[in-house]
Amino acid sequence: MILPFTHDGRSGTVTVSLEQHDDPATVGKGPEAYGFPACTATVEHPARGYRAMFGWVQLVRSTDNTTGGAGFDLDPFCLFEDAPSPYAFFGNEPTLFDAPSRDTRAPLTWLAHSFLAWTPMDEEVRRVLPLAAFSWGFGIDPNGHILLQPPQALAPSDWNGHLHLLRASHPAWTFDPWATGSA
């Protein structure tokens, strides 16, 4: 899937791929991750340097999360769970990579909302402004089979629906609403 976005008046793209592991070791996972998904989203934009600094905010709703699947949780990168930033990945045209798995094959529904965003560096306030977004996920059926949920584009209303959680989780940051038609 290719998602277009505009930043600084210039067009860019996010290319999303989702595949099942047939060799989990190649992505740093153990053998129990066989058959689970790996999602990669790459960013291309003509800006350079600080103008090409973007980040990925990812939220996950899973039947084994803190709400039992009723709501979303922020999904920080495990090495930076205690960092006071909403970004799971951040950098110059950063790649989002996620390979969720479980040790058991119990029935499960897992859905991610992944948002490419940017934070203006020339402001005193740390603001997060969405640029492009998609959902993706997987499920484990009662027989232990893993079924992928292909990536789908998200709408501005999806970001706006997460604003309360984002603001409560990171009160030192400002999360702007995503205006309809600004994707």
Side-chain angles (χ1 to χ4, degrees):
M1 174 173 69
I2 298 175
L3 295 170
F5 71 95
T6 302
H7 171 65
D8 266 354
R10 300 170 84 184
S11 296
T13 59
V14 173
T15 302
V16 182
S17 67
L18 183 66
E19 58 190 4
Q20 283 184 286
H21 301 299
D22 60 358
D23 184 3
T26 62
V27 295
K29 302 289 277 195
E32 71 283 352
Y34 181 87
F36 279 92
C39 180
T40 304
T42 57
V43 177
E44 290 187 37
H45 192 273
R48 293 291 166 248
Y50 295 119
R51 305 303 289 173
M53 298 289 281
F54 304 109
W56 286 101
V57 175
Q58 183 165 275
L59 300 101
V60 171
R61 182 180 67 214
S62 175
T63 50
D64 66 352
N65 75 356
T66 62
T67 68
F72 282 83
D73 289 332
L74 280 167
D75 188 27
F77 183 61
C78 65
L79 295 176
F80 306 114
E81 287 176 311
D82 57 347
S85 170
Y87 290 115
F89 303 93
F90 188 86
N92 197 294
E93 293 183 322
T95 296
L96 176 146
F97 175 78
D98 197 5
S101 63
R102 299 295 187 270
D103 292 334
T104 63
R105 302 280 172 120
L108 176 80
T109 301
W110 191 99
L111 177 69
H113 281 184
S114 305
F115 298 93
L116 178 68
W118 72 287
T119 295
M121 294 181 63
D122 56 354
E123 297 180 6
E124 290 184 31
V125 175
R126 290 183 287 182
R127 291 190 313 139
V128 179
L129 302 149
L131 297 169
F134 65 97
S135 67
W136 64 282
F138 71 98
I140 303 175
D141 73 14
N143 297 318
H145 298 112
I146 298 166
L147 308 168
L148 300 188
Q149 180 178 336
Q152 296 180 25
L154 291 175
S157 60
D158 293 300
W159 170 264
N160 295 341
H162 293 302
L163 288 175
H164 179 73
L165 173 61
L166 292 167
R167 290 170 177 160
S169 298
H170 294 283
W173 291 73
T174 298
F175 297 87
D176 284 14
W178 194 353
T180 304
S182 67

